[in-house]
Amino acid sequence: MAVIGWIGLGHMGGPMTANLIKAGHSVRGFDLNTEALDAAVAAGVTRATGIADAVTGADVVFTMLPKGEHARAVYFGDAGVFANADPKTLLVESSTIDIESSQALHDAAKAAGFRLVDAPVSGGITGAEKGTLTFMIGGVADAVADATTYIQPMAANIIPTGGATTGQAAKICNNLMLFINLAATSEGAVLADRLGLDPQVFWDIASVSSGDSWALRTWYPIEGVVPSAAVNRDFAPTFTAELANKDIGLAIAAAAATDTPLEIGTHVAQLFQRLVDQGQGGKDCSIIVKLVDGTLA
């Protein structure tokens, strides 16, 4: 069993570490948010006093952070991972961040003698809790193979994607499709309702027809149809609109860097920005349906 250092114990990191502990691993964790840290400790994580304490003596270090700027802050500097971990420690960066930041971490890790993989996840809070996440892992082959052994208790799918930053690339493109699907699902759901279709009947049709998608099956934004949908709980977040706005923004930035026109993605990104601007960033991203039905302007 391994000694695992973990930085970032929020909605995803907390339940992910719980599954590692259930598998018999020892996890030392740290988060700037004391409530998140306390919750993780209650689930079996050993409390670390800071980054250095979390990573010292660890076989592997995972980081699960909101943005590229947070990942850079955690890895770089005198108090960061590179300055305090043993170079033999495998580094698994599981945040969803911009390609530029991911490449900077890979470059710095290589220069300092570390092995690092970018290994973002898909599956949301439910997948984190159930240990059914999909991991997309980019990096050199031996590091990817070694990371897989630690990831297994948290995952239903572990997919090597290629070299450095390809895990991030896969996650960015996947989330772009997810949020476009969510917007399309919202429009179809609202129109079906206004045309007089029973919401459950329409969902039963769409979920086995060409309108099907993960967003439809999991986040359908009409109350009382899909138990896992946040609409049933006043849009209490499973994945916040603010994070959706951040993630689709990563796709827009990557598109600009590669001269790729994303006309639909750009429009959906504007919708999420409107939600954030209207103070809805802390609600579940499926609240985008309120822009479709006119409840929000």
Side-chain angles (χ1 to χ4, degrees):
M1 295 296 102
V3 175
I4 298 173
W6 194 287
I7 312 297
L9 293 163
H11 293 303
M12 295 294 291
M16 290 167 75
T17 55
N19 284 319
L20 289 171
I21 291 165
K22 290 175 185 175
H25 296 298
S26 173
V27 181
R28 285 201 312 271
F30 178 70
D31 196 296
L32 291 173
N33 184 312
T34 55
E35 290 184 2
L37 180 54
D38 289 345
V41 169
V45 169
T46 299
R47 186 187 305 272
T49 58
I51 294 171
D53 187 30
V55 305
T56 299
D59 299 303
V60 58
V61 168
F62 283 83
T63 50
M64 176 61 81
L65 304 157
K67 297 180 181 180
E69 63 198 70
H70 302 118
R72 289 175 184 260
V74 163
Y75 278 90
F76 292 115
D78 293 341
V81 173
F82 292 138
N84 290 281
D86 189 306
K88 294 192 295 292
T89 301
L90 177 63
L91 307 178
V92 182
E93 216 300 289
S94 285
S95 316
T96 298
I97 60 176
D98 58 286
I99 298 294
E100 182 181 2
S101 291
S102 182
Q103 186 64 63
L105 295 180
H106 277 282
D107 292 344
K110 184 177 181 180
F114 286 93
R115 296 184 303 155
L116 180 144
V117 298
D118 54 288
V121 305
S122 181
I125 295 172
T126 300
E129 292 172 344
K130 293 182 177 180
T132 58
L133 294 169
T134 293
F135 278 75
M136 298 151 260
I137 314 179
V140 297
D142 68 325
V144 170
D146 288 348
T148 297
T149 63
Y150 300 111
I151 287 169
Q152 285 174 341
M154 302 179 285
N157 301 289
I158 303 172
I159 304 172
T161 53
T165 78
T166 58
Q168 288 296 343
K171 177 61 185 295
I172 288 170
C173 295
N174 178 76
N175 275 19
L176 170 68
M177 296 167 68
L178 165 62
F179 296 126
I180 291 172
N181 284 337
L182 177 59
T185 295
S186 297
E187 292 197 345
V190 170
L191 181 59
D193 179 65
R194 292 181 179 177
L195 290 173
L197 280 161
D198 178 274
Q200 185 66 61
V201 170
F202 177 67
W203 185 90
D204 290 344
I205 293 167
S207 65
V208 294
S209 301
S210 54
D212 186 31
S213 69
W214 187 93
L216 181 138
R217 283 178 272 112
T218 310
W219 285 350
Y220 196 70
I222 302 298
E223 190 171 357
V225 178
V226 176
S228 58
V231 65
N232 301 314
R233 294 172 294 280
D234 192 29
F235 296 99
T238 59
F239 195 93
T240 67
E242 182 177 20
L243 282 177
N245 188 50
K246 183 266 290 188
D247 281 5
I248 199 166
L250 296 177
I252 301 304
T258 56
D259 295 322
T260 306
L262 296 182
E263 295 187 17
I264 300 171
T266 298
H267 178 66
V268 175
Q270 292 168 349
L271 296 178
F272 281 113
Q273 186 62 55
R274 282 167 58 189
L275 290 173
V276 172
D277 291 344
Q278 294 185 43
Q280 303 299 319
K283 292 286 191 177
D284 190 80
C285 59
S286 58
I287 201 171
I288 195 172
V289 73
K290 295 300 183 181
L291 293 176
V292 177
D293 69 14
T295 304
L296 296 171

